[in-house]
Amino acid sequence: AYKDVTLSWTGTSTKPMFQPTGGNWTFGGGEYSITLKGNSNSSHLIDIISAEVTLTSNGSIEINSGYEYGVAIGQESSTTTNKSVFHLDGGKIIGRADTSVVVYGNSQFIMKRGSITATASKGVHVKAGSAFSMTGGDILNSTYDVFVEKSDLFTISGKVQVGTIKLNGIGVYFT
């Protein structure tokens, strides 16, 4: 971008604002900021299917919808073999949502830096068969900042700040 940019979702569609279905996408990282902004009627803002997406410095997602996800990684179907990856590396997710980030089976969320401070029921919802690793950053301001159903891998290391973690099921653990 050559100046600060805000892309606002003003529709009432059940379709996401962006739906990467392949390749590598990066939001932010330049001299100017890029903000993806939803409204109270919008669907989730990013729906990652078989792609790799990075939200980095000067990139932000402003959700503003109390009933949808900010970022959906992978697909809800447990039979999918498509792998999706979301990197939070210096960007921020803010606003209001039911769930800020949901990670479905066979997909991965890697958080190195940045913050998730959306007022939400769940900051990060880790579904069965998915992976979430956090080596830096903050997840705060949700009822459950990290909600783990049954993940293949959930690790926290480095300098992180997480308000609440709920391990919701038999055999659920984290390192």
Side-chain angles (χ1 to χ4, degrees):
Y2 297 101
K3 62 180 180 176
D4 292 340
V5 175
T6 298
L7 301 174
S8 295
W9 182 252
T10 58
T12 58
S13 172
T14 57
K15 304 270 187 206
M17 185 177 201
F18 288 98
Q19 190 174 45
T21 57
N24 295 318
W25 296 55
T26 300
F27 295 95
E31 180 181 345
Y32 298 99
S33 67
I34 296 177
T35 301
L36 305 179
K37 184 176 182 177
N39 67 20
S40 62
N41 296 316
S42 61
S43 178
H44 40 282
L45 296 179
I46 300 177
D47 187 8
I48 305 167
I49 300 172
S50 301
E52 193 160 335
V53 174
T54 301
L55 182 67
T56 189
S57 59
N58 280 341
S60 65
I61 296 172
E62 191 172 324
I63 304 167
N64 296 326
S65 175
Y67 62 91
E68 285 291 347
Y69 308 128
V71 178
I73 309 164
Q75 294 176 293
E76 194 166 359
S77 169
S78 60
T79 60
T80 183
T81 58
N82 298 334
K83 182 172 183 173
S84 303
V85 181
F86 177 60
H87 300 269
L88 183 55
D89 192 9
K92 61 184 177 180
I93 298 174
I94 58 175
R96 180 178 60 88
D98 175 65
T99 302
S100 298
V101 176
V102 62
V103 191
Y104 290 111
N106 202 36
S107 294
Q108 186 175 11
F109 177 25
I110 301 167
M111 185 170 177
K112 294 179 183 175
R113 302 179 296 135
S115 63
I116 300 173
T117 56
T119 303
S121 172
K122 300 173 187 96
V124 176
H125 188 166
V126 185
K127 300 271 193 167
S130 62
F132 173 45
S133 62
M134 184 177 182
T135 58
D138 303 320
I139 304 175
L140 302 167
N141 214 31
S142 297
T143 304
Y144 301 110
D145 295 312
V146 177
F147 185 93
V148 183
E149 283 185 26
K150 184 178 180 188
S151 69
D152 288 343
L153 179 64
F154 172 38
T155 60
I156 295 178
S157 63
K159 185 178 178 185
V160 301
Q161 186 174 359
V162 177
T164 59
I165 297 172
K166 179 166 183 161
L167 305 177
N168 194 44
I170 296 172
V172 177
Y173 64 93
F174 74 95
T175 302

